Amino acid sequence: MTTSMPDIANHTTAQTEGTLDWVGMSNIEMPIMVASKGESERMVSAHIDAFVNLKDAKAKGIHMSRLYLLIDELSTSNVLNYQSLVSLLDGFISSHQELSDQAKVQFCFDYHLRRKSLISGKEGWKAYPVTLTGNLNQGKLTIELTIDVPYSSTCPCSAALARQLIQKAFQDKFAQQSELALTDVHEWLGTTEGIVATPHSQRSVAEVKVKLNSSINDFPITEIVDLVEGSLKTPVQAAVKREDEQEFARLNGQNLMFCEDAARRLQHSLNQTDQFDDFWLRINHLESLHAHDAVSVTTKGIENGYQP
Ligand SMILES: Nc1nc2c(ncn2[C@@H]2O[C@H](COP(=O)(O)OP(=O)(O)OP(=O)(O)O)[C@@H](O)[C@H]2O)c(=O)[nH]1
């Protein structure tokens, strides 16, 4: 004889009635196969949030296990791409008929890419934090991809102030000499007295969020990383030999930027491509001059689009 188990979610009603915006599970850890455009399908270790709304004020609760098992099925038998993300959201709602008409899911993971050194031809891994978010609200679908791309920024103001000090040191050193010997100047420039000041630079992070549509099935992770790094020109490096470090110093010197400059460069590049319905970006310069960060935020600026 089998004993039937109490089913609180189905057979009892709420002690206090009320509809709820989101109910679900946060921080579920699962391996997920991710389809990223131009890359082989890759297993990532994902942290997942899964939610539905509770529109029935009297219902005791949602069915957590149904959401969990739908994600588990994706983890064990499928690949995460645009279509499977949409099917997952559909499944959340169809498994909660009468209870829910909104669903959202978020996958957070590090996506590793091989990145080339600047000069030496070496390669190394870089981990990019990625968030994929799906939201289905009474039939209205939103799929978003957010990537954090680290880079280096050198302060243009600091660079100008350092140049002024270098000019002054040059004057102090050579002003009294009637004739300048090229070798003397050349040698002096190679000393710390010659380059008496250096501008400050900082590790910086561009957070880029794009709204995807069904014209994209595999997520454009590499494409966005390439776009950001290609625009800013000073990506954080993986494998570095001295020739790479020297090139990095040159690139920093030739791409001086405030957080405003970085945001405008990315805004320009993202406006050049029409594959994203909308974008939002936040530039964070983790200052070395200050103990606080310099930040700029912008969006595509479309009607009813992302708000800054
Ligand atoms: N709704 C809800 N469930 C919770 C919560 N915390 C833990 N659970 C548990 O999640 C488990 C799974 O719930 P259900 O999905 O309703 O499980 P089930 O009744 O076996 O599954 P179905 O037959 O598909 O409804 C239950 O044992 C709940 O106790 C909570 O805060 N809210």
Side-chain angles (χ1 to χ4, degrees):
M1 192 182 88
T2 54
T3 335
S4 74
M5 289 184 281
D7 189 350
I8 293 295
N10 262 332
H11 297 142
T12 55
T13 51
Q15 292 152 337
T16 309
E17 293 177 13
T19 59
L20 296 172
D21 293 327
W22 295 120
V23 188
M25 291 162 287
S26 184
N27 220 13
I28 303 168
E29 291 182 56
M30 281 192 203
I32 298 283
M33 280 293 260
V34 173
S36 169
K37 205 168 149 197
E39 307 288 333
S40 51
E41 288 169 359
R42 184 91 50 81
M43 185 79 87
V44 299
S45 179
H47 290 249
I48 306 158
D49 284 5
F51 290 93
V52 288
N53 65 334
L54 184 55
K55 63 174 181 159
D56 181 343
K58 290 186 169 38
K60 176 70 175 166
I62 68 149
H63 302 279
M64 303 266 180
S65 68
R66 298 181 192 176
L67 303 184
Y68 183 92
L69 291 172
L70 285 164
I71 307 168
D72 190 66
E73 193 188 337
L74 173 68
S75 166
T76 53
S77 325
N78 208 342
V79 172
L80 181 62
N81 56 27
Y82 186 94
Q83 199 45 57
S84 64
L85 189 47
V86 175
S87 304
L88 184 66
L89 292 167
D90 283 336
F92 282 6
I93 290 180
S94 57
S95 66
H96 283 79
Q97 276 169 11
E98 313 301 324
L99 295 184
S100 312
D101 56 8
Q102 292 176 32
K104 71 171 175 178
V105 66
Q106 182 165 297
F107 295 83
C108 296
F109 52 87
D110 276 353
Y111 195 84
H112 288 76
L113 287 175
R114 298 293 289 171
R115 303 306 277 174
K116 281 196 171 56
S117 300
L118 292 168
I119 302 282
S120 66
K122 308 282 184 222
E123 279 192 356
W125 288 109
K126 277 177 68 183
Y128 296 91
V130 170
T131 303
L132 285 163
T133 311
N135 199 312
L136 190 54
N137 185 348
Q138 292 161 351
K140 190 176 171 295
L141 182 71
T142 310
I143 306 287
E144 296 170 334
L145 168 62
T146 308
I147 308 183
D148 291 0
V149 182
Y151 64 100
S152 162
S153 61
T154 302
C155 177
C157 179
S158 180
L161 294 167
R163 284 196 300 269
Q164 188 184 42
L165 286 178
I166 293 165
Q167 284 177 309
K168 183 175 180 304
F170 178 80
Q171 198 143 27
D172 293 347
K173 174 79 179 173
F174 294 106
Q176 305 309 320
Q177 298 185 17
S178 52
E179 278 188 18
L180 281 189
L182 181 70
T183 50
D184 289 349
V185 178
H186 182 262
E187 193 182 324
W188 178 81
L189 281 173
T191 66
T192 41
E193 289 76 35
I195 304 301
V196 67
T198 56
H200 68 271
S201 51
Q202 48 254 331
R203 192 184 295 174
S204 306
V205 181
E207 296 171 62
V208 178
K209 178 160 71 181
V210 295
K211 195 176 278 185
L212 304 178
N213 61 47
S214 57
S215 67
I216 294 166
N217 198 36
D218 293 353
F219 299 111
I221 296 175
T222 311
E223 231 166 298
I224 294 174
V225 169
D226 286 345
L227 181 143
V228 173
E229 295 188 345
S231 306
L232 298 178
K233 308 267 192 270
T234 50
V236 166
Q237 300 293 303
V240 175
K241 304 295 282 183
R242 270 175 296 161
E243 58 263 44
D244 303 314
E245 184 160 358
Q246 191 167 57
E247 177 62 2
F248 188 71
R250 192 189 68 78
L251 285 168
N252 271 269
Q254 297 308 303
N255 292 278
L256 303 169
M257 55 185 133
F258 281 148
C259 65
E260 293 93 326
D261 299 308
R264 287 182 179 128
R265 276 194 194 190
L266 290 188
Q267 181 186 54
H268 181 76
S269 301
L270 284 160
N271 276 326
Q272 300 290 93
T273 158
D274 55 6
Q275 65 166 316
F276 306 123
D277 289 355
D278 198 359
F279 67 77
W280 170 96
L281 63 93
R282 177 183 160 115
I283 294 294
N284 306 277
H285 284 188
L286 314 183
E287 287 290 318
S288 56
L289 172 65
H290 306 288
H292 52 260
D293 304 338
V295 171
S296 56
V297 177
T298 192
T299 64
K300 190 167 183 165
I302 55 173
E303 213 177 300
N304 300 320
Y306 286 133
Q307 296 302 302

